[in-house]
Amino acid sequence: MNILVTGGAGFIGSHTLIELYQAGHTAVVVDNLSNSNPVALKRVAEILSIPAIPFYHVDIRDREGLEKVFAEHKFDACIHFAGLKAVGESVEKPWEYYENNIGGTLTLVDVMRMHGCKNIIFSSSATVYGDPAEIPITENCPKGQCTNPYGWTKSMLEQVLMDIQKADPGWNVVLLRYFNPVGAHPSGRIGENPNGIPNNLMPYITQVAVGKRKELGVFGNDYDTPDGTGVRDYIHVVDLAKAHVAALQCFSSKFQVPSSKSQPSTLNLKPSTIYNIGTGHGYSVLDMVKAFVRVNGADVPYSIKPRRAGDIATCYCNPAKAKAELGWEAKHGIDDMVRDSWNWQRNNPEGYPEP
């Protein structure tokens, strides 16, 4: 397949490009570079030993720019990563998040349908569950009250895409609800490169370890968890990238369900399909810190801070549906996650260089 990858120069997008090409697919990247770096695409091409990844410096809100991309390429599907993604910033700038994430996606989908491309994998999030009604979280768990505008954009866009599919059965929509991506490519050439102060745990840990930050702030140690700190389902970004490749099979008229029996069953495609993408294991903040120190031998000083508003005690998933229907499951454990995160940061203490 030839895949349009929006936000392909970002953390998850760049890793997904590697898995797409290694699986025999090709890709074209659209990215406005607001929170990504074109050096990542250059390094992806080097890892793959190909001349370059086709790239357009285009914002998904730019209809004219998207039209040009679609005029020059025929796409079988779109993997849609592009969007603003900082939870705290979304609280401070809600209009910008709704306008960018929702407005941009509406423009993208409209251009897609005008060009006969009606297969989309959407980068959603476990934030749509709010404070989950059940642990571990299954896809049958009802969506909850999101605690920030970023989460609401994901929840709303899920509904938008499902409504579009209901109105036009020619669409196939796959919603991948990520849990907490960490890690980096084992080459150490690409990884998470946040702008400014990191919003996520692992890049904050690695920046403390490399001396860029003084200490890690742990928000709350009085939750109802084994050590009092919040528990999350951390997933290696390479496993997450492979989930997108596995999800492409949903764009066949039918797909095979892995089975131990001699005759695998064949399921009719569900046009709008939801998958939790996580490991099914919960690790606390201090579990991650201690694993990082143990595996890498690097010091990570930390201090306990007050709880953050909106944080919940425990959030991890049951990923059985993705295994049963897509044949996908996470392969990397906590040691791989912290080792590869440190390998990236140690080799790139300031992140990507200026292009």
Side-chain angles (χ1 to χ4, degrees), residues 16-279:
T16 300
L17 289 170
I18 292 175
E19 302 305 323
L20 285 170
Y21 274 83
Q22 289 181 339
H25 302 288
T26 56
V28 174
V29 171
V30 163
D31 199 306
N32 70 359
L33 303 179
S34 65
N35 53 19
S36 57
N37 192 310
V39 174
L41 297 178
K42 180 181 178 182
R43 293 186 177 184
V44 166
E46 291 169 354
I47 291 168
L48 293 169
S49 299
I50 62 176
I53 302 288
F55 168 62
Y56 291 82
H57 188 183
V58 171
D59 191 300
I60 59 170
R61 295 169 293 178
D62 177 2
R63 181 180 296 271
E64 184 177 342
L66 286 178
E67 289 283 1
K68 178 182 177 182
V69 176
F70 276 83
E72 296 181 5
H73 300 273
K74 173 69 174 176
F75 297 112
D76 299 296
C78 173
I79 300 179
H80 180 27
F81 296 111
L84 298 176
K85 61 179 183 178
V87 168
E89 183 183 63
S90 78
V91 176
E92 298 169 3
K93 300 178 178 180
W95 183 88
E96 287 83 353
Y97 269 68
Y98 289 117
E99 191 271 340
N100 183 90
N101 293 5
I102 295 179
T105 300
L106 290 175
T107 299
L108 170 68
V109 168
D110 193 33
V111 174
M112 285 176 63
R113 67 178 178 176
M114 295 300 179
H115 290 266
C117 178
K118 296 184 177 182
N119 297 319
I120 187 168
I121 297 173
F122 177 59
S123 168
S124 191
S125 167
T127 58
V128 303
Y129 292 113
D131 192 350
E134 61 183 22
I135 297 289
I137 302 167
T138 70
E139 290 82 357
N140 293 324
C141 180
K143 290 165 70 171
Q145 290 291 313
C146 298
T147 58
N148 54 76
Y150 163 75
W152 278 119
T153 66
K154 293 297 187 183
S155 183
M156 291 175 179
L157 284 171
E158 283 194 358
Q159 191 63 50
V160 166
L161 291 170
M162 289 190 290
D163 285 346
I164 288 171
Q165 191 285 319
K166 288 176 186 176
D168 179 359
W171 277 91
N172 294 312
V173 174
V174 179
L175 308 174
L176 299 185
R177 292 175 176 168
Y178 310 161
F179 280 70
N180 294 71
V182 296
H185 193 266
S187 68
R189 298 283 289 153
I190 61 172
E192 191 165 6
N193 185 45
N195 290 334
I197 299 174
N199 292 288
N200 297 325
L201 174 64
M202 187 51 65
Y204 213 112
I205 289 175
T206 61
Q207 288 190 12
V208 170
V210 83
K212 195 172 181 178
R213 307 279 171 195
K214 180 181 178 182
E215 66 176 12
L216 170 71
V218 177
F219 296 102
N221 67 343
D222 57 351
Y223 287 104
D224 184 17
T225 63
D227 64 18
T229 63
V231 170
R232 298 293 183 268
D233 191 335
Y234 295 95
I235 178 171
H236 197 293
V237 66
V238 172
D239 283 327
L240 178 55
K242 289 179 184 292
H244 294 80
V245 179
L248 288 174
Q249 67 188 285
C250 293
F251 301 145
S252 302
S253 59
K254 293 184 177 181
F255 64 95
Q256 299 295 318
V257 178
S259 173
S260 59
K261 299 178 182 179
S262 59
Q263 295 295 325
S265 60
T266 300
L267 291 185
N268 289 324
L269 176 70
K270 294 180 179 179
S272 296
T273 309
I274 299 168
Y275 295 104
N276 286 332
I277 305 298
T279 66

